[in-house]
């Protein structure tokens, strides 16, 4: 068989045609909404489908997406802190739900994780400036 020519019809990466899908540069992603979607979306997905691992896929995808930004912006130490906050929030939402209910628990841990992301990652890279007096 002659391997000198490729017979594949699959375009080589990166695809630059009119239907190309490009990821937003990591430094430009606001991570507070991403972790909020990961925690709340993971919960809703697991609850509504009855397939807990599917909720975990949503949780993991958002965590990876946010983690790529944390790493690009702040380095491995801050990434570890924010990643631990995200994962601990997920883990702690379960016992917290037994005390205050599922939705309040999920909203609480999502708020804490989003707040940490906003303060430690997003605020340092936003275009926000304090108002002049």
């Amino acid at each position: 068989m002659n391997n000198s020519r490729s017979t594949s019809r699959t375009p080589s990466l990166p695809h630059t045609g009119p239907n190309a899908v490009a990821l937003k540069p990591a430094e430009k992603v606001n991570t507070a909404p991403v972790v909020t979607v990961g925690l709340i979306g993971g919960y809703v997905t697991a609850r509504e489908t009855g397939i807990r691992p599917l909720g975990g896929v949503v949780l993991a995808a958002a965590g990876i997406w946010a983690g790529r930004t944390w790493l690009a912006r702040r380095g491995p130490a801050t990434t570890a802190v924010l990643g631990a906050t995200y994962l601990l929030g997920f883990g702690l939402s379960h016992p917290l739900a037994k005390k205050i209910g599922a939705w309040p628990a999920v909203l609480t841990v999502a708020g804490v994780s989003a707040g940490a992301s906003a303060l430690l990652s997003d605020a340092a890279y936003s275009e926000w400036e304090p108002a002049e007096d």
Side-chain angles (χ1 to χ4, degrees):
M1 179 173 182
N2 182 359
N3 288 334
S4 63
R5 282 190 322 149
S6 175
T7 58
S8 173
R9 293 180 187 252
T10 305
S12 62
L13 295 176
H15 181 64
T16 57
N19 296 325
V21 177
L23 294 178
K24 191 175 193 178
E27 296 83 6
K28 299 206 181 273
V29 174
N30 289 318
T31 59
V34 173
V35 299
T36 301
V37 167
L39 289 162
I40 295 173
Y43 169 69
V44 170
T45 300
R47 180 178 172 168
E48 294 301 315
T49 65
I51 306 169
R52 292 181 72 178
L54 190 56
V57 169
V58 173
L59 180 80
I64 291 167
W65 184 254
R68 124 186 213 272
T69 296
W70 299 329
L71 187 61
R73 284 182 178 168
R74 304 297 302 229
T78 302
T79 300
V81 168
L82 291 172
T85 302
Y86 183 69
L87 291 175
L88 283 172
F90 166 70
L92 292 174
S93 69
H94 294 82
L96 187 59
K98 292 180 181 179
K99 295 186 181 280
I100 65 173
W103 271 112
V106 170
L107 295 174
T108 298
V109 300
V112 169
S113 187
S117 293
L119 289 173
L120 296 177
S121 178
D122 297 348
Y125 288 85
S126 72
E127 295 176 10
W128 178 85
E129 294 180 14
E132 295 181 22
D133 291 330

